Amino acid sequence: MNETTTTPATVNKIFRIGGDLPVHRIGYGSMQLTGPGVWGPPEDVENARAVLRRSVELGVNFIDTADVYGPNETERLIREALSPYTPGVVIATKGGMVRSGPWTATNPGMSFNGTEAHLRRAVESSLRNLGLQQIDLYQLHRADPTIPIEETMHVFRALREEGKIRHIGLSEVSVDEIERARSVVEIAAVQNIYNLTIRKHDDVLAYCERNGIAFIPFWPLHSGALAKSEAMAAIALQRGATPAQVALAWLLKKSPAIILIPGTSSLAHLEENVAASGIELADTDIEALDRLEV
Ligand SMILES: NC(=O)c1ccc[n+]([C@@H]2O[C@H](COP(=O)([O-])OP(=O)(O)OC[C@H]3O[C@@H](n4cnc5c(N)ncnc54)[C@H](OP(=O)(O)O)[C@@H]3O)[C@@H](O)[C@H]2O)c1
């Protein structure tokens, strides 16, 4: 990134993860690149690789994944499609859970495992799958309810000191859990559910913004529902945008600490989502969206 030519407008479009990894605030989430129920490979593997390659061509340089997507499928796809990585592309993955089957209405097919033995195996496996020497951002997918988060963070700190991971993130945590984690090691990012419909983590977002921590809302499109929202159609029409773009632009404007990772398996949706960075919502749009029942 050339600092001397960076305009204020582009500064606002970049977040420095951990203070040293500049990424565009529209990234890409890879969870849609699996089979149904986040299980097995995607039906169209070539399309999945094309989506990943196109994301980087479009300037996306923050890609989110997890070992339980597939499991291992999206990490391997990312390596196959993007390695050797373009300099500046930041890959974030997650560990601390185990997938034993597909996600269904009655069974998420996943369980916690925050033990040191599991986390060490998981990091080695993610490094191999992704073809990396070091993981830029390693996120605890969920705090294991049977292990104090401080204990898990001691393992993460050791992995960082060993050079296997560069920055540490958490997922679906409270302010209290972030503070407990930070008593052991620096936290660079928090990935919690957040979108126009679900705003229960407003306190976590404000905390992250105050403390220079990236806030990465997962389900930015409410798993696709916001892209179909009729309630947002009027604002979208006024801005010459789609409802999905309005939902993403609302998040971008909500806080400079937000980095987006919309998930898609479609090249057209990818182009549309990345173009949301060019959509400027007026304060009146924000007020209307804040009041909206979506
Ligand atoms: N930390 C966690 O526990 C956690 C949990 C869930 C997800 N995540 C991460 O967050 C990322 C985002 O979440 P997500 O993928 O579940 O949900 P999402 O981004 O809210 O929505 C994805 C859905 O929206 C559709 N979509 C995307 N762009 C669209 C567009 N422009 N127009 C219409 N439909 C569109 C996709 O379908 P198409 O494929 O047809 O475009 C897909 O069904 C994931 O990919 C993953 O990296 C993390």
Side-chain angles (χ1 to χ4, degrees):
M1 208 66 53
N2 184 342
E3 299 289 343
T4 53
T5 57
T6 305
T7 64
T10 44
V11 167
N12 202 27
K13 290 182 175 167
I14 286 167
F15 187 92
R16 286 175 188 279
I17 297 177
D20 69 351
L21 292 180
V23 298
H24 296 137
R25 291 178 56 218
I26 296 203
Y28 174 72
S30 64
M31 201 181 79
Q32 303 300 328
L33 304 182
T34 63
V38 201
W39 183 248
E43 204 170 295
D44 187 345
V45 172
E46 257 326 299
N47 171 70
R49 291 193 189 123
V51 167
L52 287 162
R53 286 194 205 104
R54 185 71 185 134
S55 70
V56 174
E57 278 169 17
L58 290 170
V60 165
N61 62 356
F62 180 71
I63 297 181
D64 180 71
T65 186
D67 57 1
V68 289
Y69 298 169
N72 300 314
E73 298 286 351
T74 56
E75 288 187 336
R76 287 195 205 116
L77 272 172
I78 288 169
R79 184 196 68 231
E80 288 161 12
L82 302 181
S83 157
Y85 296 96
T86 304
V89 169
V90 170
I91 308 290
T93 191
K94 315 182 195 80
M97 301 207 78
V98 179
R99 179 168 290 288
S100 51
W103 184 290
T104 66
T106 51
N107 186 349
M110 287 202 297
S111 52
F112 306 101
N113 193 339
T115 60
E116 175 161 8
H118 172 74
L119 287 167
R120 285 190 169 278
R121 269 197 310 274
V123 164
E124 293 302 333
S125 162
S126 289
L127 283 167
R128 256 192 326 274
N129 288 338
L130 289 163
L132 290 168
Q133 300 294 316
Q134 184 183 59
I135 295 164
D136 296 319
L137 177 64
Y138 196 63
Q139 304 157 104
L140 178 62
H141 207 150
R142 288 289 184 280
D144 185 331
T146 65
I147 301 175
I149 198 163
E150 291 86 344
E151 209 175 291
T152 312
M153 287 302 108
H154 278 288
V155 179
F156 274 56
R157 192 172 76 182
L159 289 165
R160 198 180 68 170
E161 283 162 5
E162 291 161 28
K164 302 205 183 272
I165 64 179
R166 181 157 172 175
H167 291 300
I168 294 167
L170 305 170
S171 178
E172 221 33 22
V173 283
S174 65
V175 169
D176 178 56
E177 285 170 312
I178 304 170
E179 290 200 319
R180 286 170 53 201
R182 290 179 83 207
S183 72
V184 178
V185 71
E186 291 90 349
I187 297 299
V190 168
Q191 188 172 135
N192 281 9
I193 193 164
Y194 193 85
N195 57 46
L196 254 167
T197 314
I198 301 178
R199 305 183 200 174
K200 64 181 176 180
H201 290 303
D202 270 328
D203 60 335
V204 175
L205 171 57
Y207 180 90
C208 287
E209 191 179 314
R210 276 199 310 278
N211 289 283
I213 297 170
F215 183 86
I216 307 169
F218 75 76
W219 269 29
L221 298 173
H222 201 158
S223 195
L226 286 168
K228 298 178 197 131
S229 162
E230 282 182 19
M232 286 158 62
I235 293 174
L237 199 64
Q238 269 174 10
R239 295 290 151 213
T242 64
Q245 289 175 322
V246 171
L248 297 174
W250 176 83
L251 282 165
L252 285 178
K253 204 166 166 111
K254 187 86 189 160
S255 164
I258 283 184
I259 302 172
L260 298 180
I261 49 164
T264 181
S265 56
S266 144
L267 280 165
H269 289 166
L270 171 72
E271 305 258 353
E272 184 181 321
N273 297 344
V274 172
S277 73
I279 288 158
E280 260 306 315
L281 294 176
D283 291 342
T284 47
D285 295 333
I286 299 291
E287 282 160 26
L289 288 165
D290 283 345
R291 280 195 308 270
L292 218 58
E293 295 285 325
V294 280

